[in-house]
Amino acid sequence: MNAPLSAALALFSRLPPAERFHVQARAFSAPLEAVAARVPPGGAVADVGCGHGLLTALLALGDSRRRVHGVDPDPRKVAWARQGPGRLSHVTVEEGGVDSLAEQLAGQFDTVVVCDVLYLLPVERWGDFLGAARRLLRPGGRLLLKEAEGDGSWKHRKCLAQEWVMVKALGRTQAGGDLVLQPRETVLGVLRDTGFIPRETVALGVGYTTPHILYVADNAP
């Protein structure tokens, strides 16, 4: 385990064993370090759907000049995040969603990061969600959107089965619709329709059993 990840995980030492295990599982199942590494230095960063706050921790520890604002609709996870990275002076964690944050802080962020959220929503709601994410950004701001790609592979099928257990069976994650992974063309189309300019599409699934993919897009003027 490398030093940045170890330092981030150490922030969750106060959590109960089950919650620490959940954070550790997240650390080893998703390329959050690779996502954090592509966030521009400094500035204000919104982590939408922050969950327990592992990515929030990586972002905050990776650059002390950043102001990181995590938001999640699950009050349980927000409570755990506040006991983790929420203890850092340049981190804020609150209960809510992208819409509530956009109402409060429209145009206040240089970067918005969204990891593994869209697949929990009906596709017809993606445009509204991404539109609210865009409202958070300053002109020229950047969106980093990490999802699992609907590519029909065994990783795709395994990911859906795993998430069904987490969402439907165990209730560890809240969902607003069926769990469906979409191909990258669908995601890129919604990004363009919402006013984003896609800049980069990065496959991050190597070494993982999930077809992780990162979309990097700029806020169109």
Side-chain angles (χ1 to χ4, degrees), residues 26-138:
R26 177 72 168 152
F28 293 107
S29 64
L32 299 185
E33 291 177 279
V35 175
R38 289 179 177 271
V39 174
V45 183
D47 181 6
V48 177
C50 66
H52 287 71
L54 179 56
L55 179 58
T56 299
L58 288 167
L59 291 168
L61 294 175
D63 189 340
S64 61
R65 298 169 299 169
R66 286 187 183 126
R67 291 179 291 110
V68 186
H69 196 122
V71 63
D72 196 276
D74 189 332
R76 301 168 303 171
K77 292 183 178 179
V78 169
W80 301 132
R82 285 173 173 161
Q83 293 184 44
R87 292 182 283 132
L88 300 174
S89 62
H90 55 304
V91 170
T92 301
V93 183
E94 70 172 86
E95 182 182 344
V98 66
D99 291 311
S100 62
L101 194 61
E103 289 177 5
Q104 300 175 52
L105 298 171
Q108 297 301 305
F109 293 94
D110 301 286
T111 307
V112 172
V113 185
V114 183
C115 285
D116 301 315
V117 174
L118 284 188
Y119 81 99
L120 298 168
L121 303 173
V123 177
E124 55 269 22
R125 289 179 54 192
W126 286 15
D128 290 339
F129 180 96
L130 291 173
R134 187 182 173 208
R135 290 198 302 276
L136 290 170
L137 286 167
R138 296 188 174 106

Side-chain angles (χ1 to χ4, degrees), residues 3-4 19 21 66 84 90 104 120 138 141 146 148 165 179 200:
E19 303 306 323
F21 175 80
R66 286 187 183 126
H90 55 304
Q104 300 175 52
L120 298 168
R138 296 188 174 106
K146 207 290 289 175
V165 172
L179 305 177
E200 190 178 14

Side-chain angles (χ1 to χ4, degrees), residues 118-177:
L118 284 188
Y119 81 99
L120 298 168
L121 303 173
V123 177
E124 55 269 22
R125 289 179 54 192
W126 286 15
D128 290 339
F129 180 96
L130 291 173
R134 187 182 173 208
R135 290 198 302 276
L136 290 170
L137 286 167
R138 296 188 174 106
R142 177 154 291 186
L143 172 72
L144 281 82
L145 175 68
K146 207 290 289 175
E147 288 290 321
E149 183 177 12
D151 59 3
S153 66
W154 70 268
K155 289 186 177 184
H156 171 161
R157 296 189 295 273
K158 170 265 174 189
C159 180
L160 284 181
Q162 173 183 300
E163 293 304 321
W164 186 92
V165 172
M166 296 298 292
V167 175
K168 304 294 185 181
L170 299 180
R172 296 288 302 184
T173 304
Q174 296 182 3

